[in-house]
Amino acid sequence: MKFSRLATRLALACWWIATAGHAAGNGDTTYLALEALAPDGRQVTLTEPLRFERDVFSFEFESGTFHLLAPVGDRTVGAVFLGKGSYKLSPACEDERRHLAFVMGETGLETLTERFSTLVLFFADSTADELALLGEPRQGAVDAQAKTAVETYFRWQKKEIRANLLLRLLSDLYDTPGIRSGVFYAVTDGENLPLGLVVVDPQGVEASRLGDGGEDSGLWVFDSVKGGPYYQCHARNDIEANRKPPFKSRIDARHYTVETEIGKDTKLTGTTTMDLTAMAPVRVVPLSLFPNLRVASVELRKDGETDWTPVAWVQKEESDYNDFLTEDSDTAVVLPEIQPKGATFSLRVRYAGDKVLDDRGGGTFAVGARTSWYPNAGIFKDTATFDLTYRVPAGNQVISVGQLQSAKTEGDREITVWKEASPIRVAGFNYGKFKKLERTDDQVGIRLEVFTGTGTPDIIREINLFFSSRSRGDGSLVGSTPADDSAIGGVQEGPSSIGKLNAEKIADSTLADGMNALRVGTAYFGPLPNQSVAITQQEAWNFGQSWPSLIFMPYTSYLTGTQRKDLGMGGGVTEFIDSVGYHEMAHQWWGHHLGWGSYRDQWLSEGFAEFSSGLTVQHTAGWDKYLEFWKRHRDQIVGKVGSPVPLHEVGPITRGWRLSTHRAPGAGFMIYSKGAFVLHMLRMLMFEPAASDPDAAFIALMKDFTTTYAGKSPTTEDFKATVEKHMIPALNATGNGKIDWFFDQWVYGTEVPRLTSDLKAKKLSGDEYQVTGTVRVADVSDDFLVLVPLYAELSRGRLAGFGNLAFKGSGEKTVDVTIKLPEKPRRIFVNGKMEVLAKE
């Protein structure tokens, strides 16, 4: 056993030397100095309290000593404070104040105060200059507690923060030598927050790989239960000036040439050539790369040159290969000199590793590293063209983004070449053994291809084994969850297996769904630039994913209704399965044809895709199913689902994925459900039932938005401006030609009204009826505007609308109106087509 372990370690060590290249990889002297940061004995002891102001953070050092870290070159970039101190966070905007109060569980919280006795600082701003004003540091012995604090921080960075903040410091030191307005970090294990990281960065927190967007300041808490971004916002002076600067990457990728080889053991080996443009003076080039993929070499070719020159890179070394997924392993290339703004150059990166693909059995695979299986300079915002070559074991296939250029077999290798000549946001592929069905839709001019797996994945074998054991009454499969708990330990009626998938029927059904979604999307949003779209079966059960011209469909979507029933799949699972294909096809428009500005605008992708899914439901299954679709979403929005308050009250959809916190884990899905509902309400406000095309005004709006921002990353305000270009009387509720009222209430706000009515109809003569009663609006503020539609329900569920009541704030209005109806109504009620997101 000892010999086996030693042999394994030696083998790993040899592999490491062959693929990682320690000397070349982490050979940059400045980075090595940052990695070795530790107190050097220089100390500054306070004689009176000291205050640091960093945007919304105010640091108070009451008494104690700053232990300076060894200089990097001629600069001090770090210190440890030991003593008594505190910092205050005073949010720059009301929404962030509310978010902070919610995650802290303190209603009405205005300012967060956190006391500390130890604070670790890293900086490329004026901090060193401010400390120098305290006087010349005295030289003494290295303080053991200060040394331990730094060592503890580096453990935190590796295991908890999982982002290499030293790379951001390195960027300031190299890209802008002498900078005094760079990044500022403060790390503390305080009294209230277990591990808090304060960031103030004029480049935006995204430069530290901690968040998304151009927001300058943030507070992160790292904890297995209560962790997350507690604060993230633009600088106070920007907020006060109503500025929201976007994140500006220092690098733009123009083209990727990606060569990928997959071994029989699913190990991936690759070479990616990136053609880049410097958007600002740059020497440090951060790369996004799956942690298991270890860089073997990086080479530079300057514009106009033909030779490649080896250059240094940084990728944290790990002693335990299995920790790559749980420890920071951020990658960056260090160029030999600054590339000026506008300079063009290329990087060639070689890498290898596993876990990119997960073998699920039966010739089926799941792609794990969906956005970082090749080194890239950023996805979804930075568009580029692609040339992609795949070499895989014979008998397997690759389905990739782009257009297939060639396919051939060489020995035991299948080689395919793909090209995407139009700039796209991200590249992806699926892998396995597939059957193909294709058809060109002449109506939309796009070729639709459906690929279904030919093998049976392990999960199906496990499910069938469970059914078999259940029918024999000899227990259940370890690790499986039966559809009916009463089945355990006894003989039950039911299937002995879920059977086999009928690939031909699946492909036909998937093709039909794809065609319907394409036709509806084209009619409402305009044509796609794609020549084709491939829909592929993947072996993950619980999610779909859309790439440019490529869609992953979850394995569950290929099960029949009977099979799903046998597995106990109902409720939300069935609803997800029934519409996931529509949703993922809609991402060809929302997410790829158009992107989104930052996480605060991501509802323009997920919400729009979910709305598009509902739109396809209406055009394929009718209005009743469409209304059921919105009732389900309404129930999600006004429900709590593990939250102390209804999800819509957690925050506006412009808080994006940050809505999900330890206090409301499911609130992030508001960007899907409420984001979709916002677009549905806008559609219904613009809907003209008597027109030859009731959706004409809405379609004009959506096609204008799509055309204007194709290939771009629009913001919420961009969409708002587009809506105002298509102003109609129903949208002009405030009479000023602005749509502020709608966006303030539904996009930037959290209120949802309660609508109730007590209405009845009395027959007069002929086809006339007198409708009387009251309509009430509740649970909203005084300036909340809502137009309540009135309906009569006729036989066979038909609805007849007969007017609207305008409300400002909560209140009650009396109805007394004569209307004409073809028959006696079953009931008179409000909000018949879910025009208003409202509580029941």
Side-chain angles (χ1 to χ4, degrees), residues 12 57 61 67 81 161 190-191 251 328 331 340-341 501 543 549 560 633 637 672 678 700 814 819:
L12 285 172
F57 296 95
F61 300 95
H67 299 264
F81 174 78
I161 300 175
E191 293 182 356
I251 287 290
D328 82 86
T331 304
K341 181 178 179 180
L501 301 182
F543 74 92
S549 73
T560 65
H633 282 70
I637 295 165
Y672 291 76
V678 166
T814 300
I819 62 174

Side-chain angles (χ1 to χ4, degrees), residues 503-689:
E504 292 182 2
K505 287 185 178 181
I506 289 169
D508 284 336
S509 175
T510 302
L511 189 70
D513 287 347
M515 287 294 188
N516 286 329
L518 275 173
R519 290 174 177 176
V520 171
T522 302
Y524 276 79
F525 316 130
L528 289 171
N530 309 41
Q531 297 177 30
S532 63
V533 177
I535 303 176
T536 65
Q537 178 180 321
Q538 67 155 349
E539 307 320 315
W541 278 72
N542 57 350
F543 74 92
Q545 184 169 353
S546 183
W547 312 77
S549 73
L550 172 65
I551 293 173
F552 283 0
M553 288 287 284
Y555 200 86
T556 43
S557 66
Y558 292 89
L559 300 176
T560 65
T562 300
Q563 289 170 326
R564 295 178 203 168
K565 183 178 179 181
D566 290 341
L567 291 172
M569 294 180 180
V573 175
T574 295
E575 292 157 10
F576 160 74
I577 292 170
D578 288 340
S579 62
V580 63
Y582 297 155
H583 180 101
E584 298 307 333
M585 183 62 77
H587 274 309
Q588 295 299 304
W589 283 271
W590 316 120
H592 296 306
H593 194 35
L594 285 75
W596 63 91
S598 78
Y599 74 95
R600 292 189 180 273
D601 311 297
Q602 198 169 354
W603 73 278
L604 297 178
S605 173
E606 297 299 352
F608 278 39
E610 191 65 6
F611 164 80
S612 304
S613 178
L615 201 59
T616 306
V617 168
Q618 179 213 318
H619 283 274
T620 56
W623 273 93
D624 287 346
K625 290 296 183 182
Y626 183 63
L627 295 181
E628 288 178 12
F629 181 90
W630 293 117
K631 287 176 183 177
R632 291 196 299 269
H633 282 70
R634 186 270 317 276
D635 292 344
Q636 294 170 359
I637 295 165
V638 302
K640 292 186 176 181
V641 193
S643 167
V645 299
L647 293 186
H648 68 87
E649 294 182 10
V650 173
I653 54 177
T654 50
R655 205 180 293 158
W657 53 265
R658 289 181 56 217
L659 287 167
S660 290
T661 66
H662 68 280
R663 300 196 69 218
F669 287 100
M670 289 297 96
I671 67 173
Y672 291 76
S673 53
K674 189 181 177 187
F677 224 115
V678 166
L679 203 54
H680 164 68
M681 287 190 289
L682 194 59
R683 177 200 182 195
M684 298 313 296
L685 281 171
M686 303 180 79
F687 199 76
E688 294 285 351

Side-chain angles (χ1 to χ4, degrees), residues 703-721:
K703 286 187 175 180
D704 185 7
F705 183 60
T706 304
T707 301
T708 301
Y709 293 99
K712 302 176 183 178
S713 299
T715 65
T716 298
E717 287 297 301
D718 291 329
F719 180 60
K720 177 182 171 185

Side-chain angles (χ1 to χ4, degrees), residues 269-289:
T269 304
T271 300
T272 293
T273 301
M274 310 165 62
D275 296 333
L276 306 171
T277 299
M279 307 303 290
V282 64
R283 187 176 170 191
V284 178
V285 181
L287 299 181
S288 176
L289 185 64

Side-chain angles (χ1 to χ4, degrees), residues 296-318:
S297 68
V298 181
E299 298 168 291
L300 166 69
R301 183 180 64 196
K302 296 182 181 179
D303 189 31
E305 298 182 357
T306 57
D307 294 335
W308 292 91
T309 303
V311 295
W313 75 92
V314 174
Q315 186 179 38
K316 293 280 287 186
E317 289 186 291
E318 307 295 349

